[in-house]
Amino acid sequence: MKNTLSIIVTVYMVMHCLLASAILIEINDFGKNDGNLKMFVHDKKALSKDKRPLLVVLHGCSQSAENVEFQSGWSVLADRYDFQVIYPEQKRVNNVSNCFNWFYKKDISSNSGESSSILEMIDYMKRNFAIDESRVFICGLSAGAAMTVNLLGNSPEVFNAGASLAGGPYGMATNFIQAAGAMTNPPNRTSKEWADMVPPSPNNKYPRLIVMHGTKDNTVDFNNANELIKQWTGLHGIEYNNHEIVENFKGNPLVDRTSFTKENKEIHVIFYTLKDTGHALPVDPGSAVYRGGNTGVFATDRDFYSSYYIA
């Protein structure tokens, strides 16, 4: 029985790798690559003449581009809604846990390290694909979420909007020790204090943001989401209490949706509270249009297809 199970697992992993390699294409010479990252592209419609949106997907610790592509289902949505996706991938030589180094100054700067490599990937896409430069988006899970917020804060003119899944606010740590502490016990600051930590925007505008976080996340404490929302509502000049809550979103008792709006009712920040959910990507495997993704070590079925609602 044990041998049979081992064979099944091995076959599954081989088939998964073959499938992912058919979907993703590695781009080697996309730029100077000061951060020493890998770049993968979902390439099915590379020759399209129509300008399409671009999404950057950042994986979490111990993940790979292939893994996050498979579990998130972003490539399926890209084909359905006609947008392009790139999947930056960390190397273990940079971080033994395969996490993006979201807490090192050199790696979150727009001019050096991993952030600069990701921005070079975006520039490569703009040069070689028909990309609508006004519709560039980014999302990430865990360490990828923290790096997502860093990029939104340091290069706000590049992005239209972003999504943070199980991440935290910009500036919550500047070294590994601070990062480890902030993940489990985030600083409690005012909205203005958090907003003041983000560099000034060149055009005085910041991207919109979607935040998703599980209430039982034992890796990145749920309060990180509250601090991130305080920061981003502060950047948009929104009163923290000026929000609307939809409980049991789409009839799902595990999900509440909170919208933070300005006086003109324009939504700039959305928060999905995932009740009784740990540190994982929420998915909802199935064939319906609002269902998708695949469960695994980094993804859990909560009857909520997070990628779909971000899209």
Side-chain angles (χ1 to χ4, degrees):
M1 181 67 178
K2 183 180 293 184
N3 290 338
T4 302
L5 180 60
S6 177
I7 292 171
I8 292 173
V9 171
T10 301
V11 170
Y12 168 81
M13 293 302 294
V14 170
M15 293 301 295
H16 168 54
C17 289
L18 289 173
L19 179 62
S21 64
I23 293 174
L24 299 183
I25 295 177
E26 184 172 4
I27 306 295
N28 292 309
D29 300 320
F30 58 84
K32 185 175 64 173
N33 195 14
D34 186 58
N36 191 31
L37 302 178
K38 291 184 177 182
M39 175 184 178
F40 293 89
V41 180
H42 174 61
D43 203 43
K44 277 194 171 181
K45 297 182 180 178
L47 301 180
S48 172
K49 294 182 180 180
D50 296 328
K51 288 192 173 184
R52 297 180 295 134
L54 173 66
L55 173 67
V56 182
V57 178
L58 300 180
H59 63 74
C61 295
S62 300
Q63 277 191 300
S64 65
E66 291 179 353
N67 179 271
V68 73
E69 184 279 331
F70 177 71
Q71 293 187 349
S72 69
W74 272 119
S75 296
V76 175
L77 293 174
D79 289 341
R80 183 190 304 170
Y81 296 120
D82 196 26
F83 59 91
Q84 184 57 274
V85 190
I86 59 176
Y87 299 89
E89 183 177 277
Q90 181 60 287
K91 296 180 181 179
R92 291 199 182 275
V93 67
N94 300 332
N95 185 294
V96 294
S97 298
N98 229 44
C99 309
F100 290 106
N101 288 309
W102 57 270
F103 42 81
Y104 288 140
K105 185 176 180 179
K106 70 177 182 63
D107 283 309
I108 68 171
S109 169
S110 299
N111 301 314
S112 68
E114 294 171 16
S115 286
S116 69
S117 291
I118 295 168
L119 292 171
E120 285 176 343
M121 295 177 195
I122 295 172
D123 288 339
Y124 174 90
M125 297 299 293
K126 291 177 180 178
R127 294 193 306 269
N128 293 279
F129 293 74
I131 299 298
D132 182 347
E133 296 189 16
S134 69
R135 292 190 292 169
V136 177
F137 305 88
I138 185 169
C139 71
L141 171 68
S142 189
M147 186 62 86
T148 288
V149 171
N150 287 334
L151 283 157
L152 293 173
N154 281 324
S155 303
E157 72 283 0
V158 174
F159 301 98
N160 184 304
S164 167
L165 293 87
Y170 180 101
M172 64 177 178
T174 57
N175 57 58
F176 177 78
I177 294 176
Q178 286 184 3
M183 286 192 300
T184 56
N185 187 26
N188 184 357
R189 298 189 173 106
T190 67
S191 183
K192 184 180 185 306
E193 287 172 339
W194 276 121
D196 287 345
M197 298 182 73
V198 181
S201 169
N203 57 9
N204 201 32
K205 294 181 180 179
Y206 290 92
R208 296 165 296 143
L209 183 67
I210 293 174
V211 178
M212 295 185 179
H213 213 117
T215 60
K216 290 190 175 181
D217 191 330
N218 294 322
T219 303
V220 180
D221 188 84
F222 180 76
N223 284 324
N224 276 287
N226 293 322
E227 300 304 312
L228 174 57
I229 291 166
K230 285 195 289 184
Q231 182 175 64
W232 230 250
T233 52
L235 289 172
H236 284 284
I238 299 172
E239 289 292 332
Y240 183 73
N241 292 324
N242 189 16
H243 59 260
E244 179 181 338
I245 300 177
V246 177
E247 296 182 344
N248 302 331
F249 179 70
K250 299 293 183 180
N252 189 334
L254 296 175
V255 183
D256 291 342
R257 181 185 189 271
T258 306
S259 305
F260 296 84
T261 63
K262 286 191 171 182
E263 291 77 7
N264 60 2
K265 302 300 181 182
E266 185 178 1
I267 299 173
H268 287 270
V269 180
I270 297 174
F271 179 30
Y272 290 94
T273 301
L274 304 166
K275 289 171 275 189
D276 296 324
T277 302
H279 191 71
L281 178 75
V283 296
D284 184 16
S287 58
V289 67
Y290 56 86
R291 301 182 68 185
N294 295 281
T295 58
V297 177
F298 309 101
T300 183
D301 187 350
R302 309 308 283 161
D303 296 328
F304 179 75
Y305 185 21
S306 56
S307 298
Y308 172 82
Y309 288 105
I310 292 171

